[in-house]
Amino acid sequence: MKIVFIGAGNLATRVSLALKEAGEVIVQVYSHTENSARTLGEKIGCSYTTDLKKIYPDADLYIFSVKDSVLPEVIAGIPSNDALWVHTAGSISREVFAGKQVRYGVFYPLQTFSKEREVDFSVIPFFVEANRRDDAPLLQNLAGKLSKNVRETSLEERRQIHLAAVFACNFTNHMYAIAAELLEKEQLPFDLLIPLIDETAAKIHEMPPLQAQTGPAVRYDRNVIGKHLDMLQNKTLKTLYTELSQNIHTLHNDKEQYL
Amino acid sequence: MKIVFIGAGNLATRVSLALKEAGEVIVQVYSHTENSARTLGEKIGCSYTTDLKKIYPDADLYIFSVKDSVLPEVIAGIPSNDALWVHTAGSISREVFAGKQVRYGVFYPLQTFSKEREVDFSVIPFFVEANRRDDAPLLQNLAGKLSKNVRETSLEERRQIHLAAVFACNFTNHMYAIAAELLEKEQLPFDLLIPLIDETAAKIHEMPPLQAQTGPAVRYDRNVIGKHLDMLQNKTLKTLYTELSQNIHTLHNDKEQYL
């Protein structure tokens, strides 16, 4: 099976390299950024292009991994063929390909990728969808070469998982970033927090996050909360601190009415 | 050295058991809750009491590990002696003991503790303070039996570290909890998110959180953000999602003016 990657960002980089490692044949990479296209093409050892018109027409699978907002125009710029086209986005319907292509689907790995960081694909959940029933096994099989955790999903489920992932990953990472800024302000090293960050993540392997919660907010310790609010000079952070503390308190005291 | 623990909560439980494991002698545990006092006393194999007046007067070190808001009244309820008294709180001055006791200080481990979960103490940063110069080595030595990472600190530094820890741990855990609620609502298993949560924490061992950030907010992908806001029916979560996304964008575009 010959694969073309449309996109050369974080996800495209890690997934294409993992597929190559698993023995798949990536024949070409497209990116509208010359440097990204060349870098990934060289890493994979395949050709690359920045011109949608030069994308090979005869591959078997086209994996679209571009910013959601440009996906429709990228699709529109490539001639239809009889191959399978999939995207890797968490919140976009596979129907984005409808009308343009006969065979299409979704190939969504639930992970945070950075170009320069290797990850263990074997544990990453892959969510696949295909509009044609006989294409689903093809995608499951491909994902199965990377991961032990592959499932077919609906758009609704995938969207909900993506939304939950924004909280569990992007907003979580932002909490780390705020902590880093607060420490940097006092010339304290961020490394101090690493054992705490590791343990916070490790705990939820063993118990639900609701049970794992500690700290001033869940105790609703007004003394500490008040001191912390005094220390935060930034108005937005003051608001976030207050709202997050209240929200912790709400979830712990009225879980049934929480959502 | 004979040690008394005042408090039998999460932190008191894990720290007292770790000290016992390290060969220290815990002679007594106090908690105002009978069940907590007995449970911890039995785990350690020492006596326990729920009566401040029955706390042994002849120990060498008293470790106060109670809710911040009750610490002053607990201190007031115990007769002064010539031992060293320390608390384990992130945001309270050691001067909470002043006037009552001659020798006092702080013994603050930076970690999230739950009674039932063992943690690796060797990597936990311990922050110690003593009002009398010759007591600092005693506390450093004691912390050093548990951890490779012990330092003397000031109240200002400790408070800033505690504030940063609320973001890096408590608010992070709340992001996990929100994600869990969102998945539960659609009958999706929380386990799906564990590889993502692990990788999010693991990434910041290698790169600063600012560089590790991915997802719709840092790209400011209005399309995805809009869809996610439509999906969130809870008004508070809608607000949190919006503010956190904007805050990620602010930090990434104007780090110098962020705090």
Side-chain angles (χ1 to χ4, degrees), chain A residues 54-100:
Chain A
K54 291 190 179 153
I55 288 176
Y56 296 161
D58 60 344
D60 303 295
L61 178 66
Y62 293 75
I63 300 180
F64 290 71
S65 187
V66 295
K67 224 176 130 171
D68 290 12
S69 52
V70 301
L71 182 59
E73 64 185 272
V74 170
I75 293 170
I78 305 176
S80 307
N81 59 20
D82 58 4
L84 179 58
W85 290 14
V86 296
H87 72 67
T88 59
S91 289
I92 293 188
S93 166
R94 67 188 189 224
E95 298 304 325
V96 69
F97 295 112
K100 172 81 187 186

Side-chain angles (χ1 to χ4, degrees), chain A:
Chain A
M1 190 164 64
K2 288 186 287 184
I3 302 172
V4 169
F5 263 84
I6 320 287
N10 294 328
L11 190 151
T13 298
R14 297 320 318 178
V15 173
S16 62
L17 291 172
L19 285 172
K20 189 200 166 186
E21 185 99 343
E24 296 298 316
V25 181
I26 321 289
V27 292
Q28 190 185 33
V29 169
Y30 159 88
S31 168
H32 79 297
T33 314
E34 168 90 27
N35 190 40
S36 302
R38 190 181 50 246
T39 303
L40 185 54
E42 284 172 359
K43 275 187 188 162
I44 296 172
C46 70
S47 84
Y48 65 90
T49 180
T50 58
D51 185 350
L52 286 175
K53 295 191 200 74
K54 291 190 179 153
I55 288 176
Y56 296 161
D58 60 344
D60 303 295
L61 178 66
Y62 293 75
I63 300 180
F64 290 71
S65 187
V66 295
K67 224 176 130 171
D68 290 12
S69 52
V70 301
L71 182 59
E73 64 185 272
V74 170
I75 293 170
I78 305 176
S80 307
N81 59 20
D82 58 4
L84 179 58
W85 290 14
V86 296
H87 72 67
T88 59
S91 289
I92 293 188
S93 166
R94 67 188 189 224
E95 298 304 325
V96 69
F97 295 112
K100 172 81 187 186
Q101 187 70 358
V102 176
R103 297 167 56 209
Y104 53 85
V106 176
F107 190 75
Y108 172 56
L110 179 60
Q111 190 50 285
T112 169
F113 296 104
S114 292
K115 284 185 187 178
E116 62 276 34
R117 184 172 157 82
E118 282 191 38
V119 288
D120 174 7
F121 272 82
S122 71
V123 296
I124 298 177
F126 271 77
F127 301 93
V128 301
E129 288 175 46
N131 72 314
R132 295 210 326 184
R133 212 167 160 185
D134 44 343
D135 281 331
L138 188 156
L139 292 173
Q140 284 182 315
N141 185 39
L142 186 70
K145 288 183 177 169
L146 302 179
S147 167
K148 293 170 293 196
N149 191 355
V150 182
R151 56 179 83 194
E152 268 195 86
T153 187
S154 67
L155 172 62
E156 289 65 36
E157 283 177 330
R158 179 162 45 86
R159 277 199 178 144
Q160 192 74 6
I161 289 163
H162 188 212
L163 174 61
V166 167
F167 282 91
C169 170
N170 308 147
F171 293 165
T172 286
N173 184 72
H174 189 53
M175 298 299 117
Y176 303 161
I178 294 172
E181 294 299 313
L182 290 168
L183 291 185
E184 190 180 312
K185 196 183 162 203
E186 302 292 327
Q187 280 110 44
L188 289 160
F190 179 67
D191 280 2
L192 282 176
L193 292 176
I194 287 186
L196 179 64
I197 285 172
D198 285 347
E199 172 62 10
T200 305
K203 262 177 124 168
I204 53 88
H205 288 238
E206 263 187 29
M207 59 184 97
L210 202 66
Q211 192 188 329
Q213 190 60 277
T214 58
V218 69
R219 296 192 305 261
Y220 223 74
D221 190 326
R222 285 173 203 280
N223 192 3
V224 178
I225 293 172
K227 270 182 210 155
H228 283 171
L229 290 175
D230 288 345
M231 289 165 70
L232 288 167
Q233 276 133 35
N234 176 294
K235 217 183 134 201
T236 312
L237 284 191
K238 243 189 231 292
T239 308
L240 277 174
Y241 187 105
T242 305
E243 285 171 355
L244 288 168
S245 295
Q246 282 169 353
N247 202 248
I248 288 172
H249 197 63
T250 304
L251 175 58
H252 280 259
N253 288 281
D254 194 3
K255 181 169 153 53
E256 294 313 307
Q257 299 296 316
Y258 181 71
L259 278 191

